[in-house]
Amino acid sequence: MADLSSFPITRRWPAKNPDIIQLYSLPTPNGVKISIALEELGLPYEAHRIAFDANEQKSPEFVSLNPNGRIPAIIDPNGPDGKPIGLFESGAILVYLAEKTGKLIPADAAGRYETLCWVMFQMGGVGPMLGQFGHFFKFAADKVANNPYPVERYRDEAKRLLGVLDARLEGRQWLTGDEYTIADIATYPWVEGARKFYGGAEVLDYKSFPNVLAWVERGLARPAAQRGLEIPRKEQPLHPPGHS
């Protein structure tokens, strides 16, 4: 049995099965990237819910794994050279899981780097811009009621990025072609989140991006995505992949 005692986070969120991946997360656009990927890859994992309403992501135990105090984070007891490894940042975790399994990323170098380009596009653009749009549009609307600039700025940039995605998806099933990759998993949860959680579909003019809408629906229709979008559930510790 793996010894995870060197990770202080396991004192607050003990591992029931320390021999499998430990996921510390919440069903947010960033969080579900990892649960969807784990489901797609068939890797056994144990999900720990990090409650934002209790500010658990800022607790000393969580920060010991991710100094930035943001979900998701993981511990893989079977990391490089068979030693446990802790990881944070959703993009980095996606790349790690894909390379660990040899799945969800092309084997050829050119395809791999193309996929990484679109992962970085999400990390540096789609996520931050849609997130800022959602903040001002939904959560800080009262604070900017007399100043439309913040909403307009992030609305316009979000629409520009959606346009980039829509052009990219013309004639393609997935961002890199016919192969579903971590680039897709990184990105469509954010597009869906802006529609469903922020209620921004009309303001962001989603109907003008038919390729994006069709692509999001293809992603959401995958059984692994349907499971991963709900993880971690409340009071849900252990989750073998493929089971709700």
Side-chain angles (χ1 to χ4, degrees):
M1 185 171 289
D3 180 8
L4 303 182
S5 61
S6 62
F7 295 92
I9 194 169
T10 61
R11 299 170 198 162
R12 182 161 181 166
W13 291 278
K16 288 192 174 182
N17 183 352
D19 290 331
I20 63 176
I21 290 173
Q22 304 295 305
L23 169 65
Y24 307 90
S25 191
L26 199 67
T28 68
N30 279 334
V32 298
K33 296 176 191 177
I34 308 309
S35 50
I36 290 172
L38 287 166
E39 290 287 334
E40 287 280 355
L41 295 168
L43 290 170
Y45 65 100
E46 188 175 338
H48 304 274
R49 188 179 180 92
I50 308 301
F52 284 0
D53 55 358
N55 222 26
E56 289 183 335
Q57 75 277 16
K58 299 296 184 183
S59 66
E61 295 88 351
F62 187 84
V63 171
S64 71
L65 182 58
N66 181 0
N68 195 35
R70 296 287 188 273
I71 60 98
I74 70 168
I75 298 173
D76 183 359
N78 301 299
D81 301 319
K83 299 177 181 178
I85 186 172
L87 297 168
F88 61 95
E89 285 295 329
S90 58
I93 297 171
L94 284 175
V95 174
Y96 171 78
L97 294 174
E99 294 189 339
K100 175 185 176 74
T101 58
K103 300 177 181 178
L104 296 177
I105 194 168
D108 64 290
R112 178 179 180 274
Y113 285 117
E114 181 182 28
T115 300
L116 292 178
C117 284
W118 288 101
V119 172
M120 300 308 164
F121 174 78
Q122 185 281 310
M123 298 295 296
V126 174
M129 293 303 103
L130 287 178
Q132 290 295 334
F133 163 77
H135 171 76
F136 287 108
F137 179 70
K138 180 175 182 177
F139 296 109
D142 58 329
K143 296 180 175 61
V144 296
N146 297 319
N147 179 12
Y149 177 74
V151 172
E152 291 176 356
R153 169 180 169 79
Y154 292 112
R155 176 202 66 196
D156 292 348
E157 180 61 6
K159 289 173 66 176
R160 186 189 73 79
L161 294 169
L162 288 170
V164 174
L165 287 172
D166 204 70
R168 174 65 181 179
L169 288 162
E170 181 67 33
R172 290 183 174 87
Q173 184 176 15
W174 306 108
L175 284 174
T176 58
D178 295 330
E179 185 177 348
Y180 181 70
T181 71
I182 56 172
D184 301 291
I185 294 173
T187 312
Y188 71 75
W190 267 105
V191 180
E192 175 64 4
R195 171 169 61 177
K196 184 176 180 180
F197 183 63
Y198 296 144
E202 184 176 351
V203 175
L204 295 175
D205 196 24
Y206 268 33
K207 65 181 183 298
S208 294
F209 309 107
N211 295 327
V212 169
L213 291 177
W215 163 73
V216 170
E217 293 306 318
R218 284 194 294 274
L220 294 175
R222 297 176 71 91
Q226 293 176 23
R227 296 189 297 268
L229 286 168
E230 303 297 327
I231 296 169
R233 293 175 179 164
K234 291 182 178 179
E235 307 304 325
Q236 178 210 338
L238 187 62
H239 184 90
H243 296 77
S244 299

